[in-house]
Amino acid sequence: MTEHTVKAFGEELDALSALLSRMGGVSETMVADAVGAVVRRDTALAQDVMGRDVRVDEMERDVEKQIVRILALRQPMARDLREVLAAYRLSLEIERIGDLAKNISKRALILNESEPVNLTRSVERMGKLIGGRLKEVLDAYGNRDTKRAMVVWSSDDDVDEYYNSLFRELLTYMMGDARMINSCAHLLFIAKNMERI
């Protein structure tokens, strides 16, 4: 981060960045735990993830308050304004990731009421891929590493290919055993949530 003539402004930007890092860390853990709840059929973990979404929502409101304060008091321009606006946009995306992790957990609770589906390992592999990409992009933001961020962005096709493969696999499984249609449909929604993340 560059030096500012007003030291307090630099500290405010640092505090904003630190809050975004914590918020990103919570969402990142929620995603990993939501996928873990699906794979291990862990109802308590799914409920725990759903409860953590409230904390992410609170953090997003805290980020918004800090940004409004910075805009009102500091009236940033150029690079500083872009940084503040990027932080705001990122907070919205991280909050959405928390919502998607909560949605995955809700589906895990429903899946736990039916017979296990063998394809949860494919979901687990996709979850690890998504979790790794999420970590990379949050690290890139924290380190202001645009090259690393671009690598993650350009590798989105891999995620889409994995999703499409899992989609076809689930459809094949449903056609082979009509009793699994309900469970596989929930896994399709889970995969779509991961793809959105």
Side-chain angles (χ1 to χ4, degrees):
M1 188 155 304
T2 59
E3 294 244 354
H4 292 278
T5 53
V6 179
K7 183 179 177 190
F9 183 35
E11 291 171 354
E12 289 169 359
L13 290 176
D14 289 343
L16 181 60
S17 183
L19 179 55
L20 277 169
S21 285
R22 287 193 304 276
M23 186 179 174
V26 172
S27 288
E28 187 180 340
T29 304
M30 285 176 67
V31 170
D33 288 347
V35 173
V38 171
V39 172
R40 295 190 301 273
R41 300 176 58 84
D42 190 333
T43 298
L45 183 58
Q47 291 169 337
D48 181 55
V49 170
M50 291 167 59
R52 280 184 260 165
D53 185 53
V54 173
R55 178 67 185 129
V56 172
D57 293 345
E58 290 170 358
M59 293 172 96
E60 192 270 328
R61 285 190 295 274
D62 291 344
V63 166
E64 186 176 343
K65 286 177 192 172
Q66 283 187 20
I67 288 172
V68 168
R69 184 176 188 285
I70 289 170
L71 291 173
L73 297 178
R74 305 295 178 194
Q75 299 176 356
M77 297 177 64
R79 181 181 185 279
D80 294 331
L81 180 60
R82 286 191 301 273
E83 185 170 333
V84 170
L85 293 177
Y88 178 66
R89 185 70 193 264
L90 182 59
S91 73
L92 296 175
E93 296 297 333
I94 293 172
E95 189 276 332
R96 182 71 182 130
I97 289 168
D99 290 344
L100 292 167
K102 181 173 95 175
N103 291 345
I104 292 169
S105 295
K106 286 179 180 179
R107 300 280 178 178
L109 294 177
I110 295 167
L111 283 171
N112 289 350
E113 296 172 0
S114 58
E115 291 295 315
V117 180
N118 293 333
L119 297 176
T120 54
R121 291 295 169 210
S122 294
V123 170
E124 181 179 31
R125 285 190 295 277
M126 185 174 179
K128 286 182 179 180
L129 175 66
I130 299 298
R133 297 284 164 77
L134 179 57
K135 180 181 180 358
E136 288 174 33
V137 80
L138 290 171
D139 288 348
Y141 173 79
N143 296 322
R144 306 299 190 263
D145 186 344
T146 54
K147 288 180 183 174
R148 191 171 179 187
M150 291 300 290
V151 167
V152 176
W153 180 59
S154 66
S155 65
D156 185 55
D157 289 344
D158 296 346
V159 174
D160 293 339
E161 286 176 27
Y162 203 98
Y163 169 75
N164 290 333
S165 173
L166 181 56
F167 183 85
R168 287 189 300 273
E169 193 175 0
L170 285 165
L171 284 179
T172 302
Y173 203 77
M174 286 189 275
M175 290 187 307
D177 186 352
R179 294 170 300 164
M180 301 312 276
I181 289 175
N182 191 41
S183 295
C184 288
H186 288 293
L187 286 173
L188 282 171
F189 283 112
I190 287 169
K192 187 61 180 174
N193 284 326
M194 289 192 296
E195 189 268 338
R196 287 180 178 153
I197 290 169

